[in-house]
Amino acid sequence: MINFDRNIPNILTTLRILLIPFYLFLFSNHYYVFALLIFILASITDIYDGYFARKYNYVTNFGSFFDPFADKLLV
């Protein structure tokens, strides 16, 4: 059984990575308002990712590598 409470940071990191192509598509096709909304949503996932990782003191190899990677891709 998957314990979702302890996987929330990884799920949010994965979601942030998956939102990046949508952001790029919208931004490159001049849908700036929608691109901004996607960027804000991805930024919020970064905030909550850090919050839940610290709250549950949960560190994984996936999160250690992909969280900073997702941040760099987004910016």
Side-chain angles (χ1 to χ4, degrees), residues 2 6 9-11 13-14 16-17 19 24 34-36 38 41 45 47 56 58 62 67-68 71 75:
I2 296 174
R6 296 184 54 88
N10 290 342
I11 292 169
T13 298
T14 304
R16 189 165 60 253
I17 292 171
L19 286 174
L24 291 174
F34 294 115
L36 177 64
I38 294 290
L41 178 64
T45 65
I47 293 167
Y56 292 113
Y58 188 61
F62 177 85
D67 184 52
D71 294 341
V75 174

mmCIF file of all heavy atoms in Angstrom, residues 2 6 9-11 13-14 16-17 19 24 34-36 38 41 45 47 56 58 62 67-68 71 75:
data_model
loop_
_atom_site.group_PDB
_atom_site.id
_atom_site.type_symbol
_atom_site.label_atom_id
_atom_site.label_comp_id
_atom_site.label_asym_id
_atom_site.label_seq_id
_atom_site.Cartn_x
_atom_site.Cartn_y
_atom_site.Cartn_z
ATOM 1 N N ILE A 2 0.520 2.233 -0.782
ATOM 2 C CA ILE A 2 1.293 3.467 -0.871
ATOM 3 C C ILE A 2 0.839 4.415 0.227
ATOM 4 O O ILE A 2 -0.353 4.654 0.401
ATOM 5 C CB ILE A 2 1.108 4.131 -2.250
ATOM 6 C CG1 ILE A 2 1.655 3.226 -3.339
ATOM 7 C CG2 ILE A 2 1.776 5.490 -2.287
ATOM 8 C CD1 ILE A 2 1.396 3.738 -4.726
ATOM 9 N N ARG A 6 3.506 10.431 2.948
ATOM 10 C CA ARG A 6 4.952 10.518 2.859
ATOM 11 C C ARG A 6 5.432 10.679 1.423
ATOM 12 O O ARG A 6 6.613 10.869 1.187
ATOM 13 C CB ARG A 6 5.588 9.293 3.503
ATOM 14 C CG ARG A 6 5.293 9.245 4.993
ATOM 15 C CD ARG A 6 5.961 8.123 5.709
ATOM 16 N NE ARG A 6 7.385 8.044 5.531
ATOM 17 C CZ ARG A 6 8.304 8.668 6.265
ATOM 18 N NH1 ARG A 6 7.902 9.474 7.224
ATOM 19 N NH2 ARG A 6 9.578 8.496 6.061
ATOM 20 N N PRO A 9 5.531 15.218 -1.201
ATOM 21 C CA PRO A 9 6.573 16.046 -1.823
ATOM 22 C C PRO A 9 7.011 15.532 -3.191
ATOM 23 O O PRO A 9 7.216 16.318 -4.124
ATOM 24 C CB PRO A 9 7.730 15.999 -0.822
ATOM 25 C CG PRO A 9 7.089 15.685 0.478
ATOM 26 C CD PRO A 9 5.925 14.811 0.155
ATOM 27 N N ASN A 10 7.125 14.219 -3.336
ATOM 28 C CA ASN A 10 7.522 13.655 -4.628
ATOM 29 C C ASN A 10 6.439 13.834 -5.682
ATOM 30 O O ASN A 10 6.724 14.086 -6.850
ATOM 31 C CB ASN A 10 7.876 12.176 -4.493
ATOM 32 C CG ASN A 10 9.164 11.973 -3.731
ATOM 33 O OD1 ASN A 10 9.959 12.892 -3.577
ATOM 34 N ND2 ASN A 10 9.364 10.771 -3.239
ATOM 35 N N ILE A 11 5.196 13.718 -5.278
ATOM 36 C CA ILE A 11 4.083 13.924 -6.207
ATOM 37 C C ILE A 11 4.057 15.376 -6.679
ATOM 38 O O ILE A 11 3.872 15.659 -7.864
ATOM 39 C CB ILE A 11 2.744 13.520 -5.544
ATOM 40 C CG1 ILE A 11 2.696 12.006 -5.327
ATOM 41 C CG2 ILE A 11 1.558 13.990 -6.375
ATOM 42 C CD1 ILE A 11 1.560 11.542 -4.455
ATOM 43 N N THR A 13 6.614 17.467 -6.775
ATOM 44 C CA THR A 13 7.771 17.686 -7.646
ATOM 45 C C THR A 13 7.489 17.160 -9.046
ATOM 46 O O THR A 13 7.793 17.826 -10.045
ATOM 47 C CB THR A 13 9.018 17.005 -7.058
ATOM 48 O OG1 THR A 13 9.307 17.596 -5.791
ATOM 49 C CG2 THR A 13 10.211 17.166 -7.977
ATOM 50 N N THR A 14 6.893 15.986 -9.132
ATOM 51 C CA THR A 14 6.549 15.408 -10.430
ATOM 52 C C THR A 14 5.526 16.275 -11.150
ATOM 53 O O THR A 14 5.639 16.513 -12.362
ATOM 54 C CB THR A 14 5.999 13.981 -10.251
ATOM 55 O OG1 THR A 14 6.972 13.202 -9.545
ATOM 56 C CG2 THR A 14 5.701 13.335 -11.589
ATOM 57 N N ARG A 16 5.150 19.468 -10.824
ATOM 58 C CA ARG A 16 5.845 20.670 -11.286
ATOM 59 C C ARG A 16 6.610 20.396 -12.583
ATOM 60 O O ARG A 16 6.582 21.206 -13.500
ATOM 61 C CB ARG A 16 6.794 21.179 -10.190
ATOM 62 C CG ARG A 16 7.386 22.514 -10.505
ATOM 63 C CD ARG A 16 8.021 23.194 -9.312
ATOM 64 N NE ARG A 16 9.098 22.448 -8.704
ATOM 65 C CZ ARG A 16 9.022 21.821 -7.529
ATOM 66 N NH1 ARG A 16 7.908 21.844 -6.843
ATOM 67 N NH2 ARG A 16 10.064 21.180 -7.050
ATOM 68 N N ILE A 17 7.237 19.256 -12.678
ATOM 69 C CA ILE A 17 7.953 18.895 -13.907
ATOM 70 C C ILE A 17 6.972 18.727 -15.066
ATOM 71 O O ILE A 17 7.244 19.151 -16.193
ATOM 72 C CB ILE A 17 8.786 17.622 -13.691
ATOM 73 C CG1 ILE A 17 9.938 17.916 -12.716
ATOM 74 C CG2 ILE A 17 9.326 17.080 -15.013
ATOM 75 C CD1 ILE A 17 10.690 16.705 -12.252
ATOM 76 N N LEU A 19 4.130 20.244 -15.463
ATOM 77 C CA LEU A 19 3.523 21.525 -15.831
ATOM 78 C C LEU A 19 4.423 22.364 -16.739
ATOM 79 O O LEU A 19 3.932 23.244 -17.452
ATOM 80 C CB LEU A 19 3.184 22.336 -14.578
ATOM 81 C CG LEU A 19 1.987 21.874 -13.766
ATOM 82 C CD1 LEU A 19 1.874 22.681 -12.484
ATOM 83 C CD2 LEU A 19 0.711 21.983 -14.578
ATOM 84 N N LEU A 24 5.524 26.284 -21.247
ATOM 85 C CA LEU A 24 6.298 26.663 -22.433
ATOM 86 C C LEU A 24 5.408 26.792 -23.664
ATOM 87 O O LEU A 24 5.581 27.708 -24.466
ATOM 88 C CB LEU A 24 7.416 25.656 -22.684
ATOM 89 C CG LEU A 24 8.548 25.653 -21.670
ATOM 90 C CD1 LEU A 24 9.511 24.509 -21.955
ATOM 91 C CD2 LEU A 24 9.259 26.988 -21.667
ATOM 92 N N PHE A 34 -2.502 32.741 -19.285
ATOM 93 C CA PHE A 34 -2.590 31.327 -18.930
ATOM 94 C C PHE A 34 -1.224 30.771 -18.546
ATOM 95 O O PHE A 34 -1.105 29.948 -17.623
ATOM 96 C CB PHE A 34 -3.200 30.515 -20.072
ATOM 97 C CG PHE A 34 -4.632 30.867 -20.340
ATOM 98 C CD1 PHE A 34 -5.001 31.446 -21.545
ATOM 99 C CD2 PHE A 34 -5.615 30.643 -19.395
ATOM 100 C CE1 PHE A 34 -6.318 31.785 -21.804
ATOM 101 C CE2 PHE A 34 -6.934 30.971 -19.632
ATOM 102 C CZ PHE A 34 -7.287 31.552 -20.843
ATOM 103 N N ALA A 35 -0.191 31.232 -19.243
ATOM 104 C CA ALA A 35 1.169 30.809 -18.899
ATOM 105 C C ALA A 35 1.525 31.283 -17.492
ATOM 106 O O ALA A 35 2.143 30.545 -16.715
ATOM 107 C CB ALA A 35 2.168 31.346 -19.913
ATOM 108 N N LEU A 36 1.118 32.492 -17.151
ATOM 109 C CA LEU A 36 1.372 33.004 -15.814
ATOM 110 C C LEU A 36 0.649 32.171 -14.761
ATOM 111 O O LEU A 36 1.213 31.872 -13.700
ATOM 112 C CB LEU A 36 0.930 34.465 -15.720
ATOM 113 C CG LEU A 36 1.073 35.117 -14.342
ATOM 114 C CD1 LEU A 36 2.528 35.196 -13.931
ATOM 115 C CD2 LEU A 36 0.422 36.489 -14.350
ATOM 116 N N ILE A 38 -0.161 29.006 -14.953
ATOM 117 C CA ILE A 38 0.554 27.732 -14.840
ATOM 118 C C ILE A 38 1.836 27.932 -14.037
ATOM 119 O O ILE A 38 2.186 27.109 -13.184
ATOM 120 C CB ILE A 38 0.871 27.150 -16.237
ATOM 121 C CG1 ILE A 38 -0.418 26.765 -16.951
ATOM 122 C CG2 ILE A 38 1.817 25.959 -16.140
ATOM 123 C CD1 ILE A 38 -1.139 25.576 -16.370
ATOM 124 N N LEU A 41 0.916 28.246 -10.409
ATOM 125 C CA LEU A 41 0.557 26.933 -9.880
ATOM 126 C C LEU A 41 1.806 26.092 -9.623
ATOM 127 O O LEU A 41 1.930 25.448 -8.572
ATOM 128 C CB LEU A 41 -0.383 26.210 -10.851
ATOM 129 C CG LEU A 41 -0.802 24.802 -10.446
ATOM 130 C CD1 LEU A 41 -1.615 24.843 -9.157
ATOM 131 C CD2 LEU A 41 -1.593 24.158 -11.564
ATOM 132 N N THR A 45 3.285 24.646 -6.013
ATOM 133 C CA THR A 45 3.672 23.264 -5.723
ATOM 134 C C THR A 45 5.065 23.206 -5.114
ATOM 135 O O THR A 45 5.336 22.341 -4.287
ATOM 136 C CB THR A 45 3.617 22.361 -6.973
ATOM 137 O OG1 THR A 45 4.581 22.797 -7.924
ATOM 138 C CG2 THR A 45 2.236 22.317 -7.578
ATOM 139 N N ILE A 47 6.350 25.496 -3.122
ATOM 140 C CA ILE A 47 6.193 25.916 -1.726
ATOM 141 C C ILE A 47 5.681 24.755 -0.878
ATOM 142 O O ILE A 47 6.233 24.451 0.190
ATOM 143 C CB ILE A 47 5.246 27.131 -1.634
ATOM 144 C CG1 ILE A 47 5.889 28.352 -2.285
ATOM 145 C CG2 ILE A 47 4.857 27.416 -0.188
ATOM 146 C CD1 ILE A 47 4.930 29.500 -2.511
ATOM 147 N N TYR A 56 7.130 16.339 7.464
ATOM 148 C CA TYR A 56 7.251 14.906 7.686
ATOM 149 C C TYR A 56 8.707 14.460 7.766
ATOM 150 O O TYR A 56 8.961 13.271 7.933
ATOM 151 C CB TYR A 56 6.545 14.136 6.569
ATOM 152 C CG TYR A 56 5.044 14.321 6.607
ATOM 153 C CD1 TYR A 56 4.396 15.007 5.598
ATOM 154 C CD2 TYR A 56 4.295 13.806 7.652
ATOM 155 C CE1 TYR A 56 3.022 15.172 5.623
ATOM 156 C CE2 TYR A 56 2.929 13.979 7.692
ATOM 157 C CZ TYR A 56 2.294 14.658 6.667
ATOM 158 O OH TYR A 56 0.946 14.826 6.699
ATOM 159 N N TYR A 58 10.926 14.118 5.473
ATOM 160 C CA TYR A 58 11.016 13.043 4.488
ATOM 161 C C TYR A 58 11.962 13.447 3.370
ATOM 162 O O TYR A 58 11.714 14.405 2.651
ATOM 163 C CB TYR A 58 9.626 12.746 3.928
ATOM 164 C CG TYR A 58 9.569 11.526 3.060
ATOM 165 C CD1 TYR A 58 9.888 10.282 3.579
ATOM 166 C CD2 TYR A 58 9.206 11.615 1.727
ATOM 167 C CE1 TYR A 58 9.838 9.162 2.788
ATOM 168 C CE2 TYR A 58 9.158 10.500 0.933
ATOM 169 C CZ TYR A 58 9.475 9.272 1.464
ATOM 170 O OH TYR A 58 9.436 8.166 0.678
ATOM 171 N N PHE A 62 14.978 10.575 -4.969
ATOM 172 C CA PHE A 62 14.219 11.226 -6.041
ATOM 173 C C PHE A 62 14.063 12.710 -5.754
ATOM 174 O O PHE A 62 14.336 13.560 -6.595
ATOM 175 C CB PHE A 62 12.844 10.559 -6.187
ATOM 176 C CG PHE A 62 11.962 11.219 -7.216
ATOM 177 C CD1 PHE A 62 12.067 10.867 -8.542
ATOM 178 C CD2 PHE A 62 11.039 12.189 -6.849
ATOM 179 C CE1 PHE A 62 11.262 11.472 -9.498
ATOM 180 C CE2 PHE A 62 10.226 12.797 -7.794
ATOM 181 C CZ PHE A 62 10.348 12.430 -9.121
ATOM 182 N N ASP A 67 13.928 17.786 -7.155
ATOM 183 C CA ASP A 67 13.372 19.055 -6.692
ATOM 184 C C ASP A 67 14.206 20.239 -7.180
ATOM 185 O O ASP A 67 13.650 21.159 -7.786
ATOM 186 C CB ASP A 67 13.232 19.061 -5.173
ATOM 187 C CG ASP A 67 12.563 20.328 -4.682
ATOM 188 O OD1 ASP A 67 11.482 20.666 -5.196
ATOM 189 O OD2 ASP A 67 13.129 20.992 -3.799
ATOM 190 N N PRO A 68 15.516 20.247 -6.987
ATOM 191 C CA PRO A 68 16.281 21.370 -7.542
ATOM 192 C C PRO A 68 16.281 21.380 -9.079
ATOM 193 O O PRO A 68 16.291 22.444 -9.706
ATOM 194 C CB PRO A 68 17.708 21.161 -7.018
ATOM 195 C CG PRO A 68 17.651 20.083 -6.027
ATOM 196 C CD PRO A 68 16.345 19.396 -6.169
ATOM 197 N N ASP A 71 13.105 22.968 -10.166
ATOM 198 C CA ASP A 71 13.188 24.423 -9.950
ATOM 199 C C ASP A 71 13.968 25.091 -11.067
ATOM 200 O O ASP A 71 13.563 26.148 -11.578
ATOM 201 C CB ASP A 71 13.844 24.721 -8.601
ATOM 202 C CG ASP A 71 13.007 24.254 -7.430
ATOM 203 O OD1 ASP A 71 11.804 24.033 -7.622
ATOM 204 O OD2 ASP A 71 13.574 24.113 -6.348
ATOM 205 N N VAL A 75 12.430 27.857 -13.832
ATOM 206 C CA VAL A 75 12.948 29.222 -13.935
ATOM 207 C C VAL A 75 13.652 29.396 -15.260
ATOM 208 O O VAL A 75 13.557 30.379 -15.942
ATOM 209 C CB VAL A 75 13.887 29.548 -12.765
ATOM 210 C CG1 VAL A 75 14.547 30.902 -12.940
ATOM 211 C CG2 VAL A 75 13.118 29.526 -11.461
#
